[in-house]
Amino acid sequence: MKRKYIYRFLCVALLMLFASCSEFLKEDPRDRLSEEEAYKTLADVYLNSVASLYTYVGGYNDSQGLQGTGRGVYDLNTFTTDEAIMPTRGGDWYDGGFWQGLFLHKWGTDNDAIQATWEYLYKVVNFCNKSLEKIDSFAETHSNAELPVYRAEVRAMRAMYYYYLMDLFGRVPLVLSSSTPMKEVVQKERKEIFEFVVKELQTVVSLLAEERSNQPGDYYGRLTRPVIYFLLAKLALNAEIYTDNNWTDGIRPDGKSIYFEVAGEQLNAWQATIAYCDMISAMGYQLEPLYESNFAVFNESSEENIFTIPMNKTMYTNQMQYLFRSRHYNHAKAYGLGGENGSSATIEVLNTFGFGTINVDPRFDKCYFAGIVYDLKGTVVTLDNGTVLEYFPWKVLLDVSNTPYEKTAGARMKKYEVDATATKDGKLMENDIVLFRYADVLLMKSEAKVRNGENGDAELNEVRYRVGASAREATLENLLAERQLELAWEGWRRQDLIRFGQFIRAYSSRPQLPNEQNGYTTVFPIPEKIIGMNPLLIQNAGY
């Protein structure tokens, strides 16, 4: 069934009776179809139990979707790190202290965006639970061979959302039924959630198609086998973090002593990472000759992208807000688009890229706007007073209000090619949003080899050579830097810093919080309002 078909018939995709196991799992009905009509045929079951779930991977409202929107998963993984900053610019971008709070790790336990992210993730989990129940109900009277495959795809989706919940919140409820009573909604240890996710993905992966998810066709935007291998590689690479039930005691499990069963073999975490990366390589993924091809308008042909959020300004409602909110108003206007003059690179990013030196990394100009700004025809962009618009990367601070650089401090997000035909101020564009790609696979493999006492130079330098960068030795320090260079603006920085033990350190404009050295901010708090709905939930340590 084509992706276009899925979206055009979304009006029948969601059902009235998504009963919740608790308040934070509740969702309002989205259509008026009776359940009997919605699950009459096998095609109906696919459309309403499987295809409908993909409408939530992207989004257009705050805190919805895995990427593309603001104040959700992406922002919690990006603006809490040394990668990106949203400076207060006079009357702009203070927003009640929200952005400063993210950067300073002072998000509190009643943060609306953290709560909305929790609710979004559990909303999709509950939809998956309901879908599985509907598939099972249909299977009672039908023996279609497709049903186990449908079920596997939904289980994979649910496991992916539990991966994000575990990564962000640590200890979370493991709810596997849409009708679980409130008294049974209790948290599981992080390690138990981790083991559940790994087992689910390992169980279902063989039932999923080997097709490329990023390319148009029957599997466009769907969870296919390479997407699952990528998730399993991420799980193994972060196993020391995810199997640690007490992340504030300063003791971390050893990846060499954490075992996975992969293809009948017992492999430690690093060996398992390598194995899953090799499975992806064996499926024909490779680096695009040009780095920027992965983020181009109509980037569906990429041989590197593994999982994307499909974008089409006439068919889908998914939005990409990150370029819109970064570019200066006049910069965006010069493209015929809109801008909010916000997000910028940090001082740490400039140093990592070697900005301003003769050895600046070739990817800086592909990821950031800095210096004098030009329109698509190469004409200099000016401010309203006629002076040249110029971004000043080194002038960025947490608050640049009442400085000469209030509106121009900071290097801005570039990364994705400008779609001059984009609508809604540029938020509805034709560049699919990249979630997983093969360059990350190579970097994961290099890191896993180094952590396992092997040489990871080949994989690291394959990534570097693609952009014309010189060779480097694969050390952990160099690998963390390379992940910043290669994956800037892609939403991995928080996870990377935690894995490398760097998330809680002080850096420009961000002092370490009192008691933060124990690592309590490496997970977010369970939102107070959620605990208020269910007193059986226990707040994470330190909050």
Side-chain angles (χ1 to χ4, degrees):
M1 188 174 299
K2 301 294 184 184
R3 184 74 167 173
K4 292 182 178 179
Y5 179 80
I6 293 170
Y7 276 90
R8 286 174 177 169
F9 290 87
L10 181 57
C11 58
V12 295
L14 304 170
L15 303 177
M16 294 179 64
L17 300 178
F18 281 108
S20 174
C21 65
S22 73
E23 289 295 325
F24 66 80
L25 293 174
K26 282 187 176 177
E27 176 67 11
D28 292 331
R30 293 282 296 274
D31 63 44
R32 298 294 178 182
L33 277 181
S34 69
E35 290 202 34
E36 183 179 350
E37 293 174 325
Y39 296 99
K40 189 175 293 185
T41 68
L42 182 66
D44 293 334
V45 171
Y46 176 79
L47 187 64
N48 295 313
S49 293
V50 185
S52 62
L53 298 174
Y54 288 104
T55 65
Y56 296 99
V57 177
Y60 56 90
N61 289 325
D62 279 353
S63 307
Q64 302 299 298
L66 297 178
Q67 274 202 39
T69 64
R71 295 172 176 258
V73 173
Y74 177 87
D75 284 358
L76 297 185
N77 279 322
T78 302
F79 290 94
T80 59
T81 75
D82 64 359
E83 175 175 279
I85 190 169
M86 193 75 79
T88 302
R89 302 179 188 274
D92 295 335
W93 294 110
Y94 181 67
D95 294 352
F98 172 75
W99 299 104
Q100 291 191 14
L102 284 190
F103 192 76
L104 296 171
H105 296 185
K106 294 181 178 180
W107 36 69
T109 59
D110 60 349
N111 187 292
D112 289 343
I114 293 176
Q115 179 181 336
T117 300
W118 170 286
E119 291 172 342
Y120 155 70
L121 293 170
Y122 268 111
K123 174 179 69 176
V124 180
V125 164
N126 195 52
F127 285 171
C128 291
N129 288 337
K130 189 68 175 180
S131 289
L132 289 170
E133 291 159 9
K134 290 302 177 184
I135 293 170
D136 289 346
S137 178
F138 188 84
E140 290 176 1
T141 54
H142 299 79
S143 57
N144 305 78
E146 295 89 345
L147 291 173
V149 179
Y150 293 174
R151 202 172 196 285
E153 196 168 346
V154 176
R155 287 174 68 184
M157 177 73 78
R158 183 177 64 181
M160 181 175 72
Y161 274 76
Y162 269 118
Y163 157 78
Y164 283 103
L165 280 161
M166 169 190 65
D167 183 77
L168 292 168
F169 296 101
R171 299 176 68 248
V172 297
L174 181 60
V175 182
L176 303 179
S177 167
S178 67
S179 57
T180 301
M182 175 73 78
K183 64 182 180 180
E184 295 180 16
V185 178
V186 295
Q187 287 153 294
K188 299 294 185 180
E189 294 293 347
R190 196 180 209 181
K191 182 180 179 181
E192 187 172 345
I193 302 295
F194 167 78
E195 291 172 344
F196 166 80
V197 173
V198 171
K199 184 178 180 181
E200 283 287 281
L201 295 178
Q202 288 180 330
T203 300
V204 305
V205 66
S206 62
L207 291 172
L208 300 178
E210 295 186 5
E211 304 294 328
R212 291 177 180 260
S213 172
N214 69 300
Q215 297 181 352
D218 292 349
Y219 295 93
Y220 185 34
R222 291 170 59 184
L223 297 182
T224 59
R225 200 174 299 182
V227 178
I228 304 308
Y229 288 153
F230 185 97
L231 282 168
L232 285 165
K234 281 289 180 189
L235 287 157
L237 187 66
N238 290 281
E240 290 183 343
I241 304 300
Y242 297 153
T243 60
D244 186 3
N245 290 332
N246 185 357
W247 48 85
T248 63
D249 65 358
I251 302 171
R252 180 189 291 189
D254 182 354
K256 291 184 178 180
S257 301
I258 302 170
Y259 287 92
F260 295 71
E261 184 174 334
V262 183
E265 290 187 80
Q266 290 293 315
L267 304 178
N268 70 33
W270 317 131
Q271 294 168 331
T273 303
I274 295 166
Y276 285 120
C277 290
D278 286 344
M279 291 177 190
I280 296 172
S281 298
M283 301 180 85
Y285 287 89
Q286 57 188 342
L287 297 180
E288 279 287 318
L290 296 177
Y291 177 87
E292 54 268 34
S293 297
N294 298 302
F295 311 98
V297 179
F298 303 115
N299 55 344
E300 293 90 344
S301 63
S302 169
E303 293 292 321
E304 180 174 342
N305 291 339
I306 296 171
F307 188 40
T308 62
I309 298 175
M311 299 287 286
N312 182 289
K313 56 181 171 286
T314 58
M315 287 173 46
Y316 312 147
T317 58
N318 298 329
Q319 291 186 11
M320 168 55 137
Q321 299 179 6
Y322 308 149
L323 298 166
F324 164 77
R325 68 183 179 185
S326 188
R327 295 183 292 229
H328 186 280
Y329 325 110
N330 290 42
H331 183 180
K333 185 179 179 180
Y335 296 157
L337 306 172
E340 290 188 322
N341 199 34
S343 51
S344 302
T346 62
I347 297 297
E348 280 66 30
V349 163
L350 302 179
N351 287 326
T352 299
F353 275 87
F355 176 71
T357 73
I358 60 173
N359 295 316
V360 62
D361 188 275
R363 285 161 290 195
F364 184 83
D365 187 53
K366 302 178 189 300
C367 295
Y368 299 96
F369 290 106
I372 296 174
V373 179
Y374 300 87
D375 67 16
L376 297 177
K377 296 179 180 179
T379 304
V380 173
V381 177
T382 59
L383 297 171
D384 293 344
N385 63 8
T387 60
V388 172
L389 172 58
E390 181 177 359
Y391 294 132
F392 296 91
W394 294 107
K395 301 299 181 181
V396 74
L397 298 167
L398 190 58
D399 190 339
V400 292
S401 304
N402 301 314
T403 74
Y405 308 100
E406 182 176 294
K407 303 301 182 184
T408 56
R412 309 307 174 85
M413 182 178 185
K414 192 175 185 180
K415 198 81 177 187
Y416 287 80
E417 181 185 11
V418 176
D419 180 359
T421 69
T423 59
K424 202 172 180 62
D425 290 326
K427 291 177 284 190
L428 288 177
M429 64 185 196
E430 298 290 347
N431 321 55
D432 288 353
I433 301 172
V434 179
L435 297 178
F436 307 159
R437 62 185 178 96
Y438 186 65
D440 196 351
V441 173
L442 291 172
L443 293 178
M444 285 195 287
K445 182 177 178 180
S446 178
E447 181 184 335
K449 289 173 76 172
V450 171
R451 292 185 184 277
N452 203 46
E454 304 171 43
N455 187 301
D457 290 357
E459 292 78 16
L460 168 62
N461 289 316
E462 184 177 348
V463 173
R464 291 182 59 78
Y465 291 155
R466 188 259 298 271
V467 295
S470 59
R472 277 186 178 173
E473 180 186 358
T475 64
L476 291 181
E477 181 181 5
N478 285 342
L479 280 161
L480 179 59
E482 190 66 26
R483 292 189 63 80
Q484 173 67 85
L485 298 169
E486 178 68 21
L487 303 170
W489 298 117
E490 294 185 47
W492 293 112
R493 192 60 177 171
R494 172 183 161 273
Q495 184 185 99
D496 291 344
L497 289 178
I498 291 170
R499 186 173 67 256
F500 281 83
Q502 297 294 311
F503 182 73
I504 59 173
R505 79 189 196 285
Y507 41 86
S508 301
S509 294
R510 199 201 88 84
Q512 190 180 69
L513 296 178
N515 302 318
E516 194 182 13
Q517 69 274 8
N518 70 7
Y520 80 92
T521 59
T522 58
V523 300
F524 292 100
I526 309 301
E528 276 187 3
K529 292 179 182 177
I530 300 301
I531 292 178
M533 295 173 188
N534 183 355
L536 296 178
L537 301 181
I538 300 171
Q539 185 57 272
N540 285 326
Y543 292 106

